[in-house]
Amino acid sequence: MKEIVVQKFGGTSVADTDKIKNVARAVIREKNLGNDVIVVVSAMGHTTDILTKLAKEITPNPSSREMDMLLSTGEGVSIALLAMALQAQGCKAVSMNAMQVGIITEKIHSKARILEIKTERIREHLDNGEVVVIAGFQGITEDFEITTLGRGGSDTSAVALAGALGAKRCDIYTDVEGVYTTDPRIVPCATRLEQISYEEMLELAHAGANVLHPRAVETAKQYQTPLRVRSTFKLDNLGTLILGVEQMELHKPVTGVASDLSQLRIVVCDVKDNPGTAAVLFDGLANENISVDMIIQSYARKDLNTNDIAFTIDKNDLARTKTILEKLKPELEYSNVFVDDTIAKISIVGAGMIDRPGIAAKMFRTLASLDINIKMISTSEIKISCLVDQARANDAVEALHKIFGLDCDEIAEVKGDLPDV
Ligand code: ADP
Ligand code: ASP
Ligand code: MG
């Protein structure tokens, strides 16, 4: 039996018909190496943004069910066009959407998790010698509702398919040549990493490095699927390999720096300093599927028996969060709610920072030297994040990238030209 390779091509890679023909050539090249090939594609170019804008022109608060119906159409266009391009180049191919495959998800619109992937129909097509082109980003619930996996979710579709089918490799083709020490579009002297661990990549992805969807990394780790990020436009380059941390040598404390401008900070003032207050607040948010990232509870004011709770959420969840806070006001008895939407989360990530003291202090000292104020801090074993003013985000990333020795002239790694997008 032939081995399976899953290839995923993002929006920029299929932005127009010439690029789709180019992708077809990359697929045929992989098939000619003797592999069975499954291709996962995103919507063309900025289609998902354009569809979102259309919905907002109809209503500021479209229902999440109808948003999923709308956004899932984008990937439907790409799969059909790519299957046609493959057929036109003499390659047997068939397109399939999530319903036809059976990509079963939770019934949570706009950020569903994949529960199961049926593989029978895919295998029938592979046995028939066809390349199977599958729509990324979309799923279907047990009761036939269309769902989507969250922005950037086609990566997760590809890795989950690779896991379910026991593929030997999942290649994520994109518009840069791999995973860099930071976003190469923001810091030109970013360095391409030959390899990075699942754990570090997961932290970087959560910290805003949108080159990979966080759940794609989680899934690859779970199935131990070898994952590569590589360039659609330079097919001979192997890009970056993502693998287990135990297989790596750690020379530097910090592997990468990321910034995330997608969050905002909410401060709930003067809540009662009683057991259960935080539980009421965060239960209320969790029941509406609103994810909270950083949380700080201030030191209690003993005279008033109150304190403040600050937390960060995705900007898109603001309207729903406000409704929940309004509902909980009688229970929480807060005095005020402040929203700060001019923040950026800046993170440094590295498995090499374990047991190396002084990394956090160096980060804070670097930000202080630029007169950048830190509004919140959170840490994990291999990550330190600081919330700063959005206007200073790029200054912070550049300075941290340099001070932790990641600039490409220091690592002497050769980086190719970035294609225009
Ligand atoms: P696709 O449409 O192929 O899924 P994305 O736009 O989702 O592409 O992801 C690729 C982009 O991720 C790059 O163009 C780059 O600007 C951005 N990026 C952010 N952080 C990093 C990083 N550390 N390494 C590489 N790219 C990064
Ligand atoms: N088309 C979706 C998006 O733009 C999914 C993806 O590209 O991964 O977010
Ligand atoms: Mg992406």
Side-chain angles (χ1 to χ4, degrees), residues 75 149 396:
E75 273 66 14
L149 311 182

Side-chain angles (χ1 to χ4, degrees), residues 211-278:
V211 63
L212 275 178
H213 195 234
R215 289 212 304 281
V217 188
E218 240 172 67
T219 309
K221 184 178 174 202
Q222 183 188 339
Y223 286 102
Q224 292 289 302
T225 306
L227 188 59
R228 264 188 195 285
V229 174
R230 54 200 298 186
S231 167
T232 308
F233 307 100
K234 295 192 175 170
L235 294 176
D236 288 329
N237 293 6
L238 284 178
T240 301
L241 178 64
I242 296 134
L243 74 178
V245 70
E246 59 286 346
Q247 293 154 264
M248 296 184 57
E249 279 189 60
L250 303 170
H251 299 296
K252 286 180 178 277
V254 173
T255 304
V257 183
S259 66
D260 184 355
L261 308 189
S262 70
Q263 297 191 353
L264 51 77
R265 178 172 67 143
I266 295 188
V267 188
V268 186
C269 304
D270 304 309
V271 292
K272 289 278 166 243
D273 183 33
N274 290 341
T277 298

